[in-house]
């Protein structure tokens, strides 16, 4: 018998209401132990006094019952909605821990059980994690779409097509080429080619899904003293900043997360270690360059009051800038070369750069089609594996259907790992370890 698990499913800390969830065969025992009665009718909230094993009242709260299999996990589930104070939560969790056969849930364990009971596939489970983590509108929409099954259905459709092609290839093996019409082989190779192309297109998506999910990086590059740190600072203080700086030490902040048009963006100040000695300076420049290269977009910030310093920026960086901004326009005019004009000191022009950045981000991430996009490296790797196997299958000479079948099988297996349709026990630990407890 698998253990019955329980956890606080709402965020820890002080809140109006806290939700504690119990899942497993002994969920019924939990309800009876705490409320003194049998579970209420499914999906109907009842108010009950909740008592610990000694009969001491813990709180008054709502009790909800979801009988297996019509529950989130597919098991018997009960939920207690109690007052969200730390002591109330601790007392209720303590009381649950005293009931035989119950233990605290591990991170992601509720969702894992839902997958194991066939409630949804792995891509939907991952999307649930993404939905909980979503900070921006586009991250939310992406996660929601995946949770509804868009991605899982695509991979499953491909896998079914592969299985069909495999069945035909196996017919050729079983009956021999003489027995099977010539057209069968043609059909198998045609299907494999169409699928390989479709998958390749899915891979060539400019990593849109991954960038929406993980956030896109914009490097602020420019000569020393152009005002890069000032700009990043001023943006961090605007409404658009959704998260506190990640790497602020005693010096200026160097990274800030922004919500631009609903897309998550990390703005990186590449100023580096500029005011230290010469050797460190060189190291700082090397790092800034590397940062600029690896960023998804580059904002080149120049000093209008010292335009000659622009030459200090390596040509490589100047020529790949996605957006050029002249700073310190409170002190000097923008040189004829043009670009946007701001003053990080007065805030003048800052809304214009936010809009310009948002525009670049939209250009990069807005989807030209309705097709579901790849959202994580795990999926990308598996689809790549499938394409490689298919391409190999297409090179197989007509007389070797066994080789063809083997590659089709490998391609199907790779796709099956994404959705969990094939045995993925070893993958589950990796996937659910990033979940929070109670999910
Ligand atoms: P960084 O080296 O590019 O990160 O530049 P900083 O942000 O450290 O700024 C360098 C100097 O320029 C500081 O003394 C800032 O106060 C000043 N500064 C930054 N932005 C402006 C601006 O818009 N106008 C004026 N007048 N000074 C600025």
């Amino acid at each position: 018998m698998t253990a019955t698990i329980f956890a606080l499913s709402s965020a820890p800390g002080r809140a109006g209401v806290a939700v504690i969830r119990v899942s497993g065969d002994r969920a019924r025992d939990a309800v009876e132990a705490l409320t003194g009665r049998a579970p209420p009718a499914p999906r109907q909230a009842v108010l009950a006094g909740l008592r610990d094993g000694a009969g001491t009242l813990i709180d008054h709260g709502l009790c909800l019952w979801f009988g297996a299999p019509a529950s989130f996990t597919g098991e018997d589930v009960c939920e207690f909605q109690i007052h969200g104070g730390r002591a109330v939560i601790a007392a209720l969790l303590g009381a649950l821990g005293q009931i035989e056969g119950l233990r605290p849930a591990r991170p992601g364990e509720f969702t894992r059980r839902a997958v194991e009971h066939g409630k949804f596939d792995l891509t939907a489970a991952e999307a649930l994690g993404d939905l909980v983590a979503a900070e921006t509108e586009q991250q939310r929409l992406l996660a929601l779409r995946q949770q509804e099954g868009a991605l899982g259905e695509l991979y499953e459709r491909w896998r079914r097509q592969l299985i069909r092609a495999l069945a035909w290839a196996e017919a050729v093996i079983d009956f021999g080429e003489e027995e099977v019409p010539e057209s069968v082989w043609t059909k198998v190779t045609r299907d494999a080619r169409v699928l390989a192309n479709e998958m390749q297109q899915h891979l060539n998506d400019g990593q849109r899904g991954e960038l929406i999910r993980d956030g896109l990086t914009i490097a602020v590059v420019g000569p020393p003293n152009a005002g890069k740190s000032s700009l990043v600072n001023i943006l961090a203080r605007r409404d658009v900043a959704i998260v506190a700086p990640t790497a602020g030490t005693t010096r200026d902040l160097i990274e800030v997360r922004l919500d631009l048009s609903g897309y998550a963006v990390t703005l990186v100040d590449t100023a580096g270690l500029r005011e230290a000695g010469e050797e460190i300076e060189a190291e700082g420049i090397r790092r800034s360059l590397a940062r600029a290269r690896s960023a998804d977009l580059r904002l080149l910030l120049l000093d209008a009051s010292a335009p000659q310093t622009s030459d200090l920026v390596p040509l490589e960086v100047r020529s790949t800038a996605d957006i050029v901004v002249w700073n310190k326009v409170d002190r000097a005019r923008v040189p004829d070369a043009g670009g946007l004009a701001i003053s990080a000191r007065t805030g003048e022009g800052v809304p214009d750069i936010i809009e310009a950045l948002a525009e670049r981000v939209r250009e990069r991430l807005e989807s030209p089609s309705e097709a579901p996009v790849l959202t994580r490296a795990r999926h990308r790797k598996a689809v790549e594996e499938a394409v490689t196997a298919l391409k190999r299958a297409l090179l197989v000479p007509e007389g070797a259907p066994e080789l063809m079948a083997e590659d089709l099988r490998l391609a199907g297996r790779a796709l099956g790992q994404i959705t969990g349709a094939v045995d993925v026990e070893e993958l589950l630990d990796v996937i659910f370890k990033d979940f929070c407890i109670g999910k």
Side-chain angles (χ1 to χ4, degrees):
M1 200 167 103
T2 49
T4 294
I5 52 174
F6 64 91
L8 174 69
S9 282
S10 49
R14 216 160 99 177
V17 175
V19 177
I20 288 176
R21 185 149 60 170
V22 183
S23 177
D25 295 333
R26 293 184 181 251
R28 181 175 294 271
D29 297 354
V31 174
E32 283 169 3
L34 292 174
T35 67
R37 344 173 202 156
R43 285 171 294 283
Q44 279 182 28
V46 293
L47 184 64
L50 304 170
R51 294 173 188 278
D52 66 15
T56 311
L57 187 66
I58 297 170
D59 191 12
H60 297 281
L62 293 182
C63 174
L64 280 144
W65 178 255
F66 306 89
S71 70
F72 176 71
T73 57
E75 303 173 331
D76 278 346
V77 168
C78 69
E79 268 182 32
F80 298 102
Q81 296 187 6
I82 55 171
H83 294 101
R86 287 180 204 282
V88 181
I89 294 168
L92 200 78
L93 291 176
L96 285 168
Q98 294 301 312
I99 301 169
E100 204 194 313
L102 264 65
R103 68 157 169 81
R106 289 189 275 267
E109 202 169 6
F110 290 97
T111 312
R112 182 173 179 153
R113 288 193 175 185
V115 170
E116 282 165 358
H117 290 116
K119 286 278 158 178
F120 39 76
D121 76 354
L122 276 183
T123 64
E126 286 170 323
L128 263 185
D130 290 350
L131 198 55
V132 171
E135 289 175 325
T136 73
E137 186 64 3
Q138 295 298 331
Q139 288 175 323
R140 181 181 72 77
L141 290 170
L142 186 73
L144 199 59
R145 185 130 198 263
Q146 183 171 329
Q147 196 231 323
E148 286 180 326
L151 206 54
E153 278 161 26
L154 175 70
Y155 296 143
E156 268 308 291
R157 173 167 70 75
W158 284 345
R159 203 174 66 89
R160 278 196 305 274
Q161 286 170 340
L162 280 170
I163 291 172
R164 208 182 49 198
L166 177 61
W168 286 110
E170 275 173 347
V172 178
I173 299 171
D174 289 350
F175 295 102
E177 277 153 75
E178 298 74 33
E179 303 290 318
V180 177
E182 174 85 15
S183 60
V184 169
W185 188 259
T186 320
K187 191 173 150 32
V188 172
T189 47
R190 195 189 51 214
D191 285 1
R193 189 168 297 113
V194 169
L195 273 173
N197 283 340
E198 237 184 284
M199 288 179 199
Q200 193 60 58
Q201 268 177 26
H202 181 65
L203 290 170
N204 299 343
D205 64 349
Q207 306 205 319
R208 270 199 335 271
E210 286 139 297
L211 287 174
I212 293 172
R213 178 174 170 265
D214 303 332
L216 174 149
T217 315
I218 304 178
V220 180
V221 292
N225 286 321
K228 298 182 292 297
S229 306
S230 307
L231 175 65
V232 172
N233 269 301
I234 200 170
L235 287 174
R237 270 182 267 116
R238 295 253 153 178
D239 296 342
V240 289
I242 50 168
V243 180
T246 48
T249 52
T250 50
R251 292 201 50 231
D252 304 335
L253 3 148
I254 61 162
E255 271 191 21
V256 49
R257 293 268 285 178
L258 305 177
D259 178 342
L260 282 178
S261 272
Y263 293 102
V265 163
T266 304
L267 197 65
V268 184
D269 171 10
T270 61
L273 309 157
R274 63 181 178 276
E275 71 265 80
E278 246 173 61
E279 222 166 87
I280 302 180
E281 175 81 359
E283 172 63 13
I285 291 170
R286 194 191 61 73
R287 280 197 211 169
S288 298
L289 263 175
R291 207 84 196 253
R293 278 193 202 115
S294 66
D296 303 302
L297 293 173
R298 277 149 290 272
L299 183 157
L300 176 58
L301 190 71
L302 301 170
D303 186 343
S305 69
Q308 70 286 355
T309 58
S310 310
D311 299 339
L312 296 173
V313 180
L315 184 63
E316 177 203 326
V317 175
R318 270 182 283 161
S319 59
T320 55
D322 297 278
I323 168 168
V324 178
V325 180
W326 289 95
N327 188 29
K328 308 195 189 180
V329 290
D330 54 297
R331 255 192 14 206
R333 277 165 29 96
V334 171
D336 294 336
L340 288 169
I342 61 152
S343 165
R345 175 156 293 170
T346 67
E348 180 192 340
V350 170
D352 298 337
I353 4 176
I354 293 177
E355 189 35 53
L357 285 175
E359 183 58 36
R360 297 289 182 291
V361 171
R362 279 195 297 266
E363 277 166 18
R364 181 73 183 269
L365 298 182
E366 252 168 20
S367 176
S369 78
E370 279 295 291
V373 290
L374 267 168
T375 51
R376 52 195 358 103
R378 185 180 83 83
H379 303 175
R380 181 171 291 281
K381 197 165 148 273
V383 177
E384 275 167 359
E385 234 175 81
V387 171
T388 307
L390 277 179
K391 286 187 173 158
R392 214 169 36 226
L394 286 166
L395 296 175
V396 166
E398 193 156 333
E402 300 84 4
L403 292 179
M404 174 71 129
E406 180 56 17
D407 282 326
L408 290 174
R409 203 173 289 120
L410 285 174
R413 223 191 116 65
L415 290 180
Q417 284 183 342
I418 307 182
T419 57
V422 299
D423 181 33
V424 284
E425 197 51 42
E426 74 281 13
L427 267 177
L428 293 179
D429 290 332
V430 181
I431 290 168
F432 290 108
K433 85 170 187 332
D434 294 334
F435 272 66
C436 35
I437 292 169
K439 185 70 228 136

